[in-house]
Amino acid sequence: MSNFKLNTLETAPEESKEILSAELEKNGFIPNLYGIMSESPELLKAYKQMQQLFSETSFSQVENNIVWLTVSYHNCCHYCMAIHTMVAKLYKLPDEMIEALRENKPLNDPKLETLRKFTAILVEKRGWATEEEIQEFLNAGYSSKNVLELIIGVGQKILSNYVNHLAHTPIDQQVEEFKWDPAKNNCAG
């Protein structure tokens, strides 16, 4: 992480302090990801805006969590897998669902499994899903609007996953129990 500064509320650029302060008040800590992102107030603002926009889509909180964990798994992001495991637990996703997502295993619910698979396809194929793959997603009960909304969630996670790869973001003490090792999960990260 020598090339990237892990800012605190005191050391962050002025334009980032409002977001960091809100995170501190909301969570009781500033996630290390935000401390690193804060060096570029524009990146931090973009990430937070995408997070807000994704939460406003027609996906449920369960579906949002499936997207976040699936993208982070397929991008081999140690940090986001830990954070989003904690978030999934806060939203009371069943433990067996969280473990399946952390291990890239099928979900028991057919519709949610289709979401997991289609999200993985978008990440792995960089958006080049086939007509058949799109149709399978639509046949599961999702809409073309959902396809487009999904791109917001994928894009949001790409921002954080890539920052964490470049900066080797240290895991926050608050999510230490949810550490995830890409090497042990067949990730080539």
Side-chain angles (χ1 to χ4, degrees):
M1 195 177 87
S2 60
N3 294 318
F4 299 92
K5 186 175 183 182
L6 179 56
N7 283 306
T8 64
L9 196 52
E10 293 75 31
T11 64
E14 201 59 42
E15 302 87 2
S16 293
K17 289 184 178 185
E18 184 178 335
I19 293 174
L20 295 184
S21 182
E23 287 299 316
L24 181 59
E25 186 174 317
K26 176 181 157 192
N27 300 317
F29 73 104
I30 296 171
N32 289 336
L33 170 66
Y34 292 179
I36 291 169
M37 281 186 167
S38 69
E39 193 65 26
S40 169
E42 299 78 11
L43 175 63
L44 182 58
K45 288 175 190 174
Y47 182 75
K48 290 298 290 179
Q49 287 173 348
M50 287 181 79
Q51 182 180 52
Q52 179 61 39
L53 290 169
F54 190 53
S55 75
E56 294 171 9
T57 67
S58 55
F59 288 116
S60 70
Q61 271 308 131
V62 169
E63 291 167 320
N64 287 353
N65 279 279
I66 289 169
V67 170
W68 290 328
L69 281 164
T70 301
V71 174
S72 297
Y73 180 93
H74 287 278
N75 280 329
C76 302
C77 186
H78 76 290
Y79 184 88
C80 286
M81 287 299 289
I83 283 285
H84 285 293
T85 297
M86 178 189 74
V87 171
K89 286 185 177 287
L90 289 174
Y91 281 103
K92 302 193 183 325
L93 268 69
D95 287 340
E96 60 273 6
M97 179 182 285
I98 295 169
E99 284 312 306
L101 292 164
R102 286 174 56 94
E103 296 172 7
N104 193 34
K105 292 184 177 170
L107 301 177
N108 290 330
D109 181 293
K111 184 176 182 183
L112 296 178
E113 171 58 11
T114 301
L115 173 62
R116 185 192 71 82
K117 282 176 35 182
F118 190 66
T119 301
I121 286 166
L122 290 182
V123 175
E124 291 173 353
K125 292 184 165 188
R126 295 171 182 82
W128 292 103
T130 66
E131 288 299 320
E132 293 80 18
E133 291 164 336
I134 295 169
Q135 194 57 54
E136 184 179 337
F137 185 68
L138 299 175
N139 290 345
Y142 291 104
S143 67
S144 57
K145 178 183 178 187
N146 293 137
V147 173
L148 299 174
E149 291 174 332
L150 185 54
I151 295 168
I152 300 168
V154 171
Q156 177 208 352
K157 281 294 90 194
I158 286 174
L159 290 177
S160 58
N161 294 167
Y162 286 14
V163 167
N164 293 323
H165 293 337
L166 294 169
H168 304 282
T169 308
I171 298 291
D172 301 288
Q173 177 186 353
Q174 293 81 354
V175 296
E176 188 76 29
E177 68 183 286
F178 306 119
K179 280 196 333 190
W180 182 84
D181 184 355
K184 289 182 180 175
N185 287 281
N186 298 318
C187 259

